[in-house]
Amino acid sequence: MAVRKKNASNRAFIISAYVFCAFLTVLSLLPFIIMIVNATRSTYQIQQHAISLVPSHFLKSNFEVLKDKGSFNAFKGFKNSLIISVGATACTIYFSTMTAFALVAYDWKLRKPFFTFIMAVLMIPAQVTSIGFYQFMYKIHMTNNFLPLILPAIAAPTCVFFMRQYMIPSLPMEILQSARIDGAGEFRIFNQIALPMMKPAMATQAIFSFVSSWNQLFLPSILITKNEKFTMPMMVALLNGDIYKTEYGSVYLGLFLTVLPLLVVYFLLSKYIIAGVALGGVKG
Amino acid sequence: MPNKQHKGISYAKYGYLFSLPFIVAFLIFSLYPTIYTLILGFTDCKGLGNTDWHILEHPFDNFKNVIHNKSFVISLKNTITIWLMNFFPQITIALLLTAWFTSRSNEIKGKGFFKVVFYMPNIITAATVAVLFKAIFAYPIGPVNDLLLSSGVKDTAYNFLVSKSAAKLIVAFIQFWTWYGNTMIVLISGVLGISPDIYEAAEIDGANGVQTFFKITIPNLKTVLLYTLVTSLVGGLNMYDIPKVFLDGGPDNATLTTSVYIQKQAFSGSYLYNKASAASMIMWVIIVICSAVLFWIMRDKDEAKLNKEIKLAQKKAKLIAESGGKEWL
Amino acid sequence: MKKVLSVLSAVALLASMTACGSTSEGSEASSSSNTESSAADSSADECSESSKADTGSSEGKTTLNIWSFTEEVPGMVQKYIDTHPDFAAKYDIETTVIPTTDQNYQPALDQALAAGGKEAPDLYCAEAAFVLKYTQGDASSYACPYKDLGIDVDAETSAAEIAPYTIDIGTNTNGDLVGLGYQATGGAFIYRRSIAEEVFGDDSPETVADAIGGGSNSWDKFFEAAETLKGKGYGIVSGDGDIWHAVENSSDKGWIVDGSLTIDPKREAFLDLSKQLKDNDYHNDTQDWQEGWFADMKGEGGKGILGFFGPAWLINYTIAPNCGGEAVGEGTYGDWGVCEPPIGFFWGGTWVLANKDSEHKDALGEIIRWITLDTSEDGLQYQWANGTYADGGTKDAVASSAVMAKSNGELDFLGGQNMFDIFQKANAYANGKNLTQYDESINALWRDQVRQYTAGAKSRDEAIEDFKMNVADTLDVNVD
């Protein structure tokens, strides 16, 4: 009796869980479907009915518009965006993990004040600070340069915070100690023991960092003025910004081309999130 | 032993050394902008390209001005309302999904697929999301209104984008929809960090899924949960993108958040950098206080555990150092 | 993961190195990479342009920096270079285009103007929404008077019969002209002929103008016509936004007089006009640039709509593509006409300015003259007006009435009507004297409150009070 009851309730649970997940799946995929469908529709079709699930036959002409626009060079934009995003993501992940390691694995006098400081920086509203940032970059003539968009990522308070929080329960000090006994240097301990154990955390933050870096528009728009250094989102913004006669079909096509690399990177990295229990490394 | 003390110092050194890249990058890129933000609030700096500005005679004038500014008060209320409206569903659903997807007893097939898909709204830019939602709720002709009319729910089209409460709800929904997947991924990665041994032990003890989740997952997830709460608080109180690009703070300031307010002070024509900066500082203080409370609530095990472990490690190190210091070199 | 990481860091290293390299080695590195890519893909104008610029500088050409928010003006300058070999021998251009849609253009332009130096803009553009800031407002100190570019301002503007409102807007507080446009955006009433025929008995511009009180400077006859139209089941406009530009432009005073917020009675009346339109069901209650608005151009909205208020570009870029056809008889194509609006106005437009610190004033003067003042058949405006500027171009109204007078503005879309007859008058009719540099922000706040009042969410007085509060809270303006 009891067993059957449990099974029934279990089945009810499973069904409702699937219904709920299916609903969320539709919500999540809808914008992508709309984006793809709209990439095949003409500007005036989109103006008349902005949302549609029925594809049209204007994909080719939208593509022609993109090609004719001198400013939209998908290959170049892709390359520029990739340099910035990969650079910024690598900096964020590696150095944030390192900083978190410093905060968790060692006992030093300024440890707590330093953590408090990082948290304080994390909480500053960005609007005014970004004004200060680009004014400063103009002053030292760092415009049309990717470095101001990459190197600041080394100091990423949010990521450090996450890495620290993640490390506290999952980095057993005993392992570090035993590594030390084996004669490993501190850098080797960090690179070969701490880093592998942080895989799920790093993958998670890598996705977030990559996405936000890839999508950012404000700072690149102000700091980069030369066409050949434009990023993908800047090129799409340019299409969308032709205020008197916006070609919406090609804007959606551009948006889709912009989101495509993100999807690829995300699917690649999501392996580390999907994997069941990933911490094989804990036991050395 | 003489080299005992030596060892202690050399470890602290690594703490500083490993924080160095962060500190250097911060000093180069963020120190000036941060100080700039801190100082401007006390000055008379407004207007375009103004380089001739001074500290005010009454340094707190801008702060008083902002606090007494009705729009600022409205924006603060909006920010909190919209944040709460999206935060509770967000964290609840994210936790629920985390429980399902990491549960060992209730195997949900295709959970890898769901995990991947639920994060996807987060990778579209705010501008795109805003355009889509504006189109969805367009008036008098638009998908939602067409649906309402054809299904007979309403007789006349409803202008969602002029209604203050509808606009707030939509913004809160967009926030929820773009961020629950993000929160879920963070929580799942936190669960993955919990040693499988603990779960195995629980299984042997015959704990069911619900028990395992509350007795093992949640306590072990506490540090990551703290991260989620704090970043969601900071992100929520600094909410900017969606309210800005969706309806630019409208209608009638219904979606004006403090960050949009700050941006408008700085950019909408008069370039009131000083007031924008003062408002930023006020927000910063509010966020710091709220976060401090969160840290305090979640404090006990988190910090205590860390301290304990470090002390333990130190003790061990001491022991080891005393027994065979040479190996350390 | 380790692999992923090592690849990531390797690419990052490479990336930062290339980034470093291209800055330290300056134009050399970037020009070489550009030449390659432009050779590979000559269809990409923009990149071949910039590569021309770079290779050019090695040949000793002078580079002019052009900043704009669309590719329109940079394209014109490029065309000037292409058609003037003498000029091309000496100059080439480097263009920066930042769209206004994400509100990044102004911060970037301001920063670049303030920073100065070799990369500072020589020629830059401003849109109607914010042009006042660059001609009369906070950023006006960067603008170079046209007379310093070698332009005989008075003689040349009167010879070209430039629309007075564009001159008013382009004149700084010292009385010097610093900016002019090429396109004219004086507005007309663009109406559906079939509806006019049915309701007023005739579809001629004169009849319709007469019916809606064209040129009367009042809304009385317009609302009478609205009532007549309602009787036949039609609306007069699509939404209240359609009449806003005319209302805005009709006021005697701008939003700010001597640093204080002023609500001109004619602008305040927008509250009542908007409410009247809505309560009497004279329109489809749409908002401009949204689905319902576009549907009305095709004649597929809630009810038929007599017309839209707008300049020539609205016909070309918005109504025509949305009319549901591409030839007479399809959709509403050919069923349109233009007539004089009850109140003159303009909507949009681009002004061209030169940086006073530029070292190439002669060249800038030459370009600006060609774009804004040249009335010859080789001049930009003649080509612009006749739709011969670019392949598949459309006829458009221009700033110079002299050019429009000798151009053919007949459009099939308008049933063969010569639209320049109306737009020449419209240019003279528009007012350029009641604007302020804060208009973009203040208009948004005002229309937001009007919408609340019209929707019945608050009283008239509350709307005005809240409007004042919002202005006081966001701008450095005195409000009593």
Side-chain angles (χ1 to χ4, degrees):
Chain A
M1 254 316 254
V3 173
R4 200 190 285 165
K5 210 175 183 183
K6 201 184 164 205
N7 275 347
S9 77
N10 210 9
R11 182 171 297 159
F13 162 77
I14 290 282
I15 289 173
S16 53
Y18 273 121
V19 169
F20 188 65
C21 287
F23 173 68
L24 289 181
T25 304
V26 171
L27 274 187
S28 301
L29 292 179
L30 210 55
F32 293 91
I33 295 167
I34 293 171
M35 206 185 281
I36 294 169
V37 169
N38 274 353
T40 69
R41 301 168 72 214
S42 75
T43 298
Y44 111 84
Q45 283 176 330
I46 293 169
Q47 283 180 338
Q48 298 279 346
H49 298 285
I51 309 284
S52 169
L53 298 176
V54 188
S56 185
H57 54 274
F58 290 91
L59 183 62
K60 220 179 141 212
S61 72
N62 287 335
F63 194 71
E64 295 296 318
V65 172
L66 277 192
K67 252 176 58 186
D68 289 346
K69 291 260 178 191
S71 56
F72 196 92
N73 185 330
F75 177 71
K76 231 179 226 172
F78 176 74
K79 197 186 81 187
N80 294 336
S81 281
L82 201 68
I83 292 173
I84 294 173
S85 305
V86 171
T89 304
C91 285
T92 301
I93 299 307
Y94 187 76
F95 290 108
S96 295
T97 315
M98 189 185 256
T99 314
F101 190 68
L103 284 170
V104 174
Y106 302 102
D107 190 21
W108 39 298
K109 224 188 205 156
L110 294 177
R111 189 170 65 119
K112 271 196 167 167
F114 182 56
F115 177 63
T116 313
F117 167 76
I118 290 177
M119 293 308 294
V121 172
L122 187 153
M123 293 167 196
I124 300 175
Q127 282 73 29
V128 180
T129 314
S130 69
I131 301 173
F133 180 73
Y134 71 70
Q135 286 187 345
F136 181 48
M137 289 304 129
Y138 264 86
K139 258 180 215 154
I140 60 170
H141 296 285
M142 284 283 265
T143 52
N144 285 315
N145 189 323
F146 291 154
L147 291 184
L149 298 170
I150 296 174
L151 293 184
I154 292 173
T158 319
C159 190
V160 173
F161 181 34
F162 178 77
M163 293 301 183
R164 174 188 180 268
Q165 296 307 95
Y166 190 89
M167 231 180 238
I168 288 172
S170 58
L171 185 75
M173 295 296 155
E174 296 82 5
I175 292 177
L176 304 189
Q177 291 305 342
S178 58
R180 278 176 191 143
I181 293 166
D182 292 347
E186 296 301 309
F187 266 102
R188 250 188 71 193
I189 291 180
F190 171 67
N191 282 323
Q192 297 189 348
I193 298 175
L195 275 189
M197 282 168 52
M198 299 293 288
K199 267 183 205 171
M202 288 165 76
T204 314
Q205 290 295 314
I207 292 167
F208 299 162
S209 162
F210 192 87
V211 167
S212 67
S213 176
W214 185 273
N215 279 340
Q216 68 170 338
L217 183 62
F218 181 71
L219 279 178
S221 293
I222 288 178
L223 293 176
I224 293 179
T225 59
K226 288 205 169 100
N227 264 315
E228 72 260 21
K229 293 198 169 165
F230 272 24
T231 64
M232 286 284 267
M234 288 171 79
M235 289 175 176
V236 177
L238 212 53
L239 286 176
N240 193 25
D242 201 345
I243 40 182
Y244 295 111
K245 41 171 179 177
T246 315
E247 295 283 357
Y248 288 105
S250 55
V251 169
Y252 277 104
L253 184 58
L255 280 176
F256 178 65
L257 291 177
T258 309
V259 97
L260 212 54
L262 275 184
L263 285 176
V264 171
V265 168
Y266 174 52
F267 290 144
L268 285 179
L269 283 173
S270 63
K271 197 166 72 181
Y272 297 91
I273 300 165
I274 295 165
V277 177
L279 281 190
V282 174
K283 290 184 174 169
Chain B
M1 274 190 165
N3 63 346
K4 183 176 101 188
Q5 224 170 4
H6 183 103
K7 288 286 129 47
I9 293 164
S10 82
Y11 277 120
K13 185 182 77 185
Y14 285 109
Y16 291 100
L17 195 66
F18 282 171
S19 326
L20 204 60
F22 183 100
I23 295 168
V24 170
F26 180 83
L27 289 179
I28 295 175
F29 293 103
S30 308
L31 184 68
Y32 171 79
T34 312
I35 291 178
Y36 174 87
T37 312
L38 297 183
I39 290 178
L40 273 189
F42 300 100
T43 68
D44 59 357
C45 177
K46 61 183 177 187
L48 194 61
N50 184 348
T51 46
D52 178 39
W53 42 268
H54 313 278
I55 303 282
L56 290 171
E57 209 177 301
H58 305 289
F60 287 97
D61 274 2
N62 291 321
F63 292 85
K64 280 184 203 152
N65 194 312
V66 169
I67 290 174
H68 291 121
N69 196 310
K70 276 185 200 150
S71 301
F72 179 75
V73 178
I74 292 172
S75 71
L76 189 58
K77 281 184 195 155
N78 288 341
T79 309
I80 294 169
T81 318
I82 296 174
W83 176 62
L84 290 177
M85 282 200 299
N86 98 75
F87 174 73
F88 284 108
Q90 192 194 115
I91 194 82
T92 313
I93 288 180
L95 271 175
L96 189 70
L97 294 173
T98 306
W100 288 353
F101 295 159
T102 57
S103 158
R104 293 167 160 238
S105 51
N106 274 312
E107 268 301 326
I108 292 183
K109 277 194 195 115
K111 64 184 179 186
F113 169 80
F114 289 132
K115 273 188 241 176
V116 171
V117 164
F118 292 169
Y119 173 69
M120 283 172 64
N122 202 235
I123 68 177
I124 319 171
T125 60
T128 314
V129 172
V131 169
L132 289 178
F133 274 82
K134 253 191 231 170
I136 289 171
F137 289 101
Y139 168 87
I141 304 173
V144 172
N145 268 315
D146 292 350
L147 208 68
L148 287 178
L149 289 179
S150 61
S151 65
V153 176
K154 292 199 87 124
D155 300 331
T156 51
Y158 184 71
N159 199 340
F160 293 94
L161 306 183
V162 171
S163 157
K164 292 170 77 166
S165 43
K168 269 200 191 85
L169 263 173
I170 295 172
V171 168
F173 175 78
I174 298 177
Q175 286 288 341
F176 156 76
W177 172 73
T178 40
W179 288 102
Y180 79 92
N182 184 300
T183 309
M184 179 196 75
I185 287 187
V186 166
L187 293 177
I188 288 178
S189 79
V191 174
L192 294 188
I194 301 170
S195 166
D197 300 355
I198 309 178
Y199 284 107
E200 275 158 28
E203 256 165 46
I204 292 165
D205 290 349
N208 68 23
V210 178
Q211 284 169 331
T212 315
F213 184 73
F214 282 104
K215 293 275 159 60
I216 292 175
T217 308
I218 291 282
N220 279 292
L221 202 57
K222 215 162 183 184
T223 53
V224 171
L225 210 53
L226 176 66
Y227 164 85
T228 308
L229 295 176
V230 171
T231 47
S232 145
L233 177 86
V234 175
L237 295 184
N238 282 331
M239 191 190 314
Y240 174 73
D241 282 355
I242 293 291
K244 174 71 192 169
V245 293
F246 182 50
L247 294 168
D248 197 16
D252 197 19
N253 293 340
T255 61
L256 183 77
T257 61
T258 48
S259 284
V260 176
Y261 171 86
I262 290 167
Q263 190 270 350
K264 285 193 170 193
Q265 294 290 320
F267 283 114
S268 70
S270 290
Y271 304 91
L272 303 170
Y273 295 131
N274 53 353
K275 281 217 257 167
S277 159
S280 303
M281 292 291 295
I282 293 171
M283 276 320 288
W284 183 69
V285 170
I286 292 173
I287 295 169
V288 166
I289 292 172
C290 295
S291 311
V293 170
L294 267 181
F295 266 92
W296 184 79
I297 294 172
M298 306 278 287
R299 142 208 57 127
D300 44 13
K301 273 179 194 163
D302 167 24
E303 288 296 316
K305 191 180 170 197
L306 181 66
N307 287 341
K308 228 197 234 147
E309 273 188 41
I310 286 170
K311 276 202 188 116
L312 208 79
Q314 276 172 341
K315 227 186 245 167
K316 271 191 191 165
K318 228 187 215 169
L319 273 169
I320 293 162
E322 275 165 8
S323 60
K326 272 165 209 160
E327 276 176 75
W328 286 90
L329 299 169
Chain C
M1 189 63 195
K2 214 181 279 170
K3 252 186 212 161
V4 174
L5 257 181
S6 59
V7 171
L8 276 180
S9 47
V11 176
L13 207 67
L14 206 77
S16 47
M17 272 162 61
T18 32
C20 281
S22 56
T23 40
S24 52
E25 286 158 36
S27 57
E28 219 179 273
S30 56
S31 77
S32 63
S33 66
N34 270 319
T35 339
E36 275 168 34
S37 57
S38 76
D41 182 11
S42 54
S43 72
D45 302 55
E46 216 56 47
C47 78
S48 56
E49 248 170 50
S50 50
S51 66
K52 261 184 228 154
D54 282 343
T55 33
S57 57
S58 59
E59 289 163 17
K61 279 193 197 177
T62 310
T63 301
L64 303 173
N65 295 318
I66 317 282
W67 279 56
S68 185
F69 48 90
T70 65
E71 284 163 34
E72 210 163 77
V73 172
M76 290 173 183
V77 179
Q78 187 58 47
K79 177 141 185 168
Y80 184 77
I81 289 176
D82 292 346
T83 51
H84 294 76
D86 296 354
F87 193 86
K90 284 185 284 182
Y91 299 100
D92 47 37
I93 58 170
E94 174 80 46
T95 64
T96 298
V97 181
I98 303 171
T100 56
T101 28
D102 305 285
Q103 302 178 345
N104 298 335
Y105 178 63
Q106 292 184 61
L109 176 62
D110 296 345
Q111 209 45 242
L113 286 169
K118 246 185 77 186
E119 301 205 335
D122 291 300
L123 187 95
Y124 53 102
C125 302
E127 213 263 340
F130 53 87
V131 60
L132 264 282
K133 172 177 147 193
Y134 294 94
T135 57
Q136 297 165 12
D138 293 336
S140 61
S141 58
Y142 301 112
C144 176
Y146 275 18
K147 65 175 188 215
D148 296 342
L149 302 172
I151 292 173
D152 183 353
V153 172
D154 290 338
E156 294 185 40
T157 50
S158 61
E161 297 167 51
I162 297 295
Y165 82 95
T166 64
I167 297 179
D168 288 337
I169 289 169
T171 303
N172 69 14
T173 43
N174 299 329
D176 290 325
L177 184 73
V178 294
L180 276 184
Y182 42 95
Q183 183 190 39
T185 60
F189 187 66
I190 308 156
Y191 64 90
R192 289 276 300 282
R193 286 179 183 273
S194 55
I195 296 177
E197 176 96 51
E198 183 188 335
V199 179
F200 306 127
D202 184 25
D203 71 350
S204 74
E206 294 76 22
T207 313
V208 178
D210 193 45
I212 63 166
S216 66
N217 238 336
S218 124
W219 291 104
D220 298 343
K221 284 196 85 175
F222 185 79
F223 276 88
E224 282 171 31
E227 190 61 38
T228 317
L229 283 156
K230 191 186 173 186
K232 303 255 180 184
Y234 292 113
I236 189 158
V237 284
S238 181
D240 69 346
D242 288 308
I243 67 167
W244 163 246
H245 293 282
V247 173
E248 179 195 10
N249 218 240
S250 70
S251 77
D252 303 307
K253 289 185 183 136
W255 284 121
I256 294 163
V257 177
D258 299 328
S260 297
L261 179 69
T262 310
I263 306 180
D264 188 281
K266 286 179 181 163
R267 283 185 185 169
E268 189 179 328
F270 184 55
L271 282 167
D272 310 313
L273 297 173
S274 169
K275 186 89 174 160
Q276 247 177 297
L277 284 172
K278 163 118 183 166
D279 291 353
N280 292 310
D281 213 13
Y282 289 152
H283 61 23
N284 278 338
D285 202 15
T286 64
Q287 245 190 65
D288 21 352
W289 307 108
Q290 292 197 359
E291 256 183 71
W293 194 62
F294 291 115
D296 282 336
M297 297 174 182
K298 206 176 174 183
E300 290 182 353
K303 52 179 174 279
I305 291 302
L306 178 65
F308 295 83
F309 284 82
W313 62 257
L314 190 76
I315 301 175
N316 291 324
Y317 300 152
T318 313
I319 301 181
N322 278 294
C323 75
E326 283 165 5
V328 177
E330 295 173 19
T332 60
Y333 199 100
D335 188 33
W336 296 86
V338 282
C339 74
E340 211 177 348
I343 294 171
F345 68 101
F346 72 93
W347 180 7
T350 304
W351 276 257
V352 184
L353 297 97
N355 188 343
K356 69 164 187 348
D357 296 327
S358 171
E359 286 164 7
H360 321 296
K361 295 210 172 71
D362 293 344
L364 297 179
E366 215 175 303
I367 294 172
I368 286 179
R369 176 181 289 120
W370 180 73
I371 292 177
T372 65
L373 291 162
D374 189 343
T375 58
S376 73
E377 297 196 1
D378 296 326
L380 172 96
Q381 293 195 49
Y382 186 85
Q383 300 175 29
W384 193 260
N386 290 285
T388 56
Y389 166 71
D391 291 340
T394 45
K395 296 174 180 178
D396 199 353
V398 291
S400 159
S401 280
V403 169
M404 280 204 277
K406 61 179 172 184
S407 302
N408 179 355
E410 286 173 15
L411 286 182
D412 288 344
F413 181 75
L414 299 174
Q417 184 185 1
N418 184 347
M419 63 172 176
F420 291 158
D421 294 342
I422 303 292
F423 285 114
Q424 253 176 290
K425 270 191 244 163
N427 277 355
Y429 202 9
N431 184 354
K433 288 189 168 144
N434 54 6
L435 294 103
T436 74
Q437 60 167 332
Y438 300 140
D439 282 2
E440 194 179 13
S441 301
I442 301 181
N443 285 341
L445 294 173
W446 176 240
R447 288 195 57 190
D448 185 28
Q449 290 303 325
V450 172
R451 268 196 283 274
Q452 290 298 313
Y453 168 66
T454 310
K458 56 173 71 170
S459 74
R460 195 175 186 279
D461 290 342
E462 277 169 355
I464 293 177
E465 273 318 301
D466 289 349
F467 167 64
K468 284 181 178 169
M469 178 197 87
N470 282 327
V471 173
D473 285 355
T474 35
L475 295 165
D476 193 19
V477 173
N478 295 323
V479 178
D480 30 84

